[in-house]
Amino acid sequence: MNLSRREWFRGLSAAGIAAVAAPAAHAREAKTVHPEDVGMLYDSTRCVGCRACTTRCKEVNGLPLDVVKTDGVAYNAPEDLSASNKSILKLYKNGETEAFVKRQCMHCADPACVSVCMAGALHKTQNGIVAYNKNVCVGCRYCQIACAFDVPKFTWNEPLPLIVKCEMCRHRPEGPACCEACPRGAMTTGTMAGLTEEAHRRIGNDPDKYDPKIYGEHDGGGLHVLYLTSKAVSFENLGLPDVPEQPIPQTSETVQHTLYKGFVAPAALFGLFTFAQYFNERRRQAAEDAQRENKS
Amino acid sequence: MSEHQAERPLGGPIFTPTLFVLLAIIFSGAALVCYRLLFGLGAVSAMNDGYAWGIWKPLNVVTFTGIGAGAYAVGLLTYVFNRWQYHSLVRSAIVVGAMAYTLGGTSVLIDLGRWWNLWVTFYPPLYNLNSVLLEVAVCVMTYTAVLWVELTPPILEQASRWKYEPVRRVAKWGLPWVRKALPFVISVALLLPTMHQSSLGGLYMITPTKLHALWYTPWLSGLFLMSCVTMGFGAVVIVENLTSLNYRRRMDQRLLGRMAPVPAMLVLSFIAIRLIDIAVQGKLPYIWTFDFYSKLFLVEMALFLTPALLMLLRSVRKNRGGLFISGVLLVLAGTVYRFDTYLIAYKPTTGWVYFPSLGELLFSACLASTGIAVYIVMIKVFPILSGVPSRKKPTIVAQA
């Protein structure tokens, strides 16, 4: 075998490209909301900001109060979602216009946190809840990086820390405590099919009041928490991020599974590297032999 | 083979003042680790729920292993592209790589909140194959072991000259076996960085809404792979220069100069791919908005372009200082690219700020010191560096 260097390089690069490009790219299918899955519907136009929901959330989930003292009086005044708040109520205020927004895990149909979690500590339950299993969590916090809504929180000051996020009260047979606590029916729970229908019904009954969009119906590939708002306050005002309709994990999973499909590309590269070494070694030996012959 | 080409141990005293300084930093870092284990990550770091990964990821893991990718870069050149002349650079690069990866791994272990659950990464039934981080974790742990296996030849070579007979016998018995297996070990050692260095970029493919448009691309994997190779080359140039300045050894400037166009061309392709990708995605206007991110991008591009252009100049390649500075810039460019992707161009949804704490900086310094200390000891004890004069010959030392 006697290849010129140029031929050798050409062969090498062709093999390399073939190894990487061989498995055709098939976009990984989006995971969608199942009509029978559980979900929640938050109607900003109905919420009066009483915070019964977040208080009850703390009770049933055993979360500590965020005590702030004002004039010697202690209040539970949490600022944002945190390791002690799986759910929070925030206020949007612009002049006379006011609206509340409740934030918690969105329970995406196709969650980024579940996609990135190494051993499935964050996982989807049968009925669509994004749940946490601390026993296989290494605390890498990649879920926090991945979540487009910045939902998972971490107990930073614990020697044995945890990821904390809303799990839709999956430990309670009665369902989410926040929905139960709401005196105005602003936060309700039910099946996704039922909630979507109800949301459309409310918009249809009062098209002048409601923004025609249901946030979460398609956003992020579909969320298990749907939001309604009035025409006066946009979803952006409420602080709900603008996420694409394509599920967040689709790109990375498509790229990774294309590169690693059947482990063909890595195996091919391994073969290529081994063959190259064998081939180069033989050439080197031949050159050395020739040199020795010339000398003698 | 001419005398200065074969690798030899440097010899000389192990416990130097430099080593004591490094040890002091290492021990204070170790104390910090104890504190972190007792009081949690929040007690030593400024990381928060918005910036859940601080500087430990981009610096200790991604930059350190980028520097350690010299073993990958020179390995590819020597073994796959048949440039045997660069073989004299391989061993030193592998020692740097072995240390960089060991320390990167250590950093991750300390950074893991629930480190006692790390067993899950050794237990395939639990594997979530969608997780890029799982690929990184398994691959990096394997590669770290492989790098140390790659170092068995120099260690055994030295052991076969040791004064204890049993050690000599074991070393002499083992050496042919190790040499026979080495091509396969090398293949694995070239495959694994291809996988995890690309995945280190791939980690951020999950953040389309959080990573700034100029950095977010489905090609993150490829860009990280290319830039780790250029960083690796830069690191080899730096280490070669530093060891020959500090110790009694000759550096082959011509060899480094001849290698320089490789990273230069790689950097130019990196820039081209990045710009084409930005153009194809229709994100070009982001470059000339001249806001913070656009300026950051331009600085980053300049940092990549400068060493590439310098290294293409014959005068720079011949000039020791010129090539050294190009090497430093290569590493710096890759480092800045990594920090931008992991931290600076990464934006969580609301009002979070992050600036590394003293504790985080100290731990990084502790890891870097460990790497330098072990490297120095290794090159003194084992045949790692080329161009070390034989100690049997009397050397003429000028008397001051």
Side-chain angles (χ1 to χ4, degrees), chain B residues 255-279:
Chain B
L255 190 70
L256 292 181
R258 224 169 8 164
M259 187 176 74
V262 180
M265 293 314 288
L266 259 173
V267 165
L268 292 181
S269 340
F270 171 90
I271 295 173
I273 292 177
R274 231 176 134 191
L275 290 178
I276 292 169
D277 174 53
I278 287 172

Side-chain angles (χ1 to χ4, degrees), chain A residues 30-83:
Chain A
K31 292 167 186 153
T32 48
V33 172
H34 191 271
E36 293 309 306
D37 283 351
V38 293
M40 300 189 287
L41 169 65
Y42 175 76
D43 189 336
S44 172
T45 66
R46 291 188 175 189
C47 179
V48 291
C50 71
R51 300 199 297 166
C53 52
T54 55
T55 310
R56 190 84 181 104
C57 173
K58 281 203 184 231
E59 277 170 24
V60 305
N61 288 296
L63 298 168
L65 298 174
D66 297 66
V67 176
V68 173
K69 275 195 176 173
T70 308
D71 297 334
V73 186
Y75 295 90
N76 171 37
E79 281 187 3
D80 207 334
L81 286 181
S82 68

Side-chain angles (χ1 to χ4, degrees), chain A residues 3-20:
Chain A
L3 283 167
S4 76
R5 178 162 283 169
R6 188 178 297 267
E7 280 171 308
W8 165 232
F9 277 116
R10 200 181 298 148
L12 196 66
S13 37
I17 291 166
V20 174

Side-chain angles (χ1 to χ4, degrees), chain A residues 40-42 101 103 106 148-149 192 199 203 211-220 222-229 234-236 238-244:
Chain A
M40 300 189 287
L41 169 65
Y42 175 76
V101 64
R103 296 298 300 272
M106 299 295 207
F149 305 96
M192 285 311 293
I203 294 171
D211 186 309
K213 178 188 155 101
I214 305 172
Y215 185 94
E217 192 179 14
H218 303 295
D219 308 74
L223 311 173
H224 281 231
V225 183
L226 303 174
Y227 283 83
L228 290 175
T229 188
S234 70
F235 290 113
E236 199 193 339
L238 292 180
L240 296 169
D242 184 18
V243 288

Side-chain angles (χ1 to χ4, degrees), chain A residues 60 68 86 124 141 155 177 179 184 190 200 242 250 256 267 274 284:
Chain A
V60 305
V68 173
K86 292 183 177 183
K124 216 77 178 130
R141 312 180 301 282
T155 52
C179 301
R184 300 264 304 176
H200 280 293
D242 184 18
Q250 216 172 17
Q256 283 305 96
T274 313
R284 212 161 34 244

Side-chain angles (χ1 to χ4, degrees), chain B residues 307-327:
Chain B
L309 295 180
L310 283 176
M311 283 176 142
L312 287 176
L313 296 175
R314 187 189 293 265
S315 54
V316 172
R317 291 205 299 271
K318 275 186 179 164
N319 181 288
R320 191 166 172 167
L323 196 60
F324 178 73
I325 288 173
S326 312

Side-chain angles (χ1 to χ4, degrees), chain A residues 120-140:
Chain A
L122 287 167
H123 59 280
K124 216 77 178 130
T125 63
Q126 288 257 299
N127 48 7
I129 294 172
V130 178
Y132 175 61
N133 172 11
K134 66 174 183 182
N135 296 323
V136 291
C137 170
V138 295
C140 68

Side-chain angles (χ1 to χ4, degrees), chain B residues 2 36 46 75 123 159 162 178-179 216 226-227 266 286 289 325 338 351 358 373 380:
Chain B
S2 63
R36 169 257 174 274
Y123 188 64
W162 228 31
V178 172
R179 289 216 173 108
Y216 183 81
M226 289 179 86
S227 55
L266 259 173
Y286 284 105
T289 54
I325 288 173
R338 277 153 177 73
L358 276 177
K380 283 180 176 172

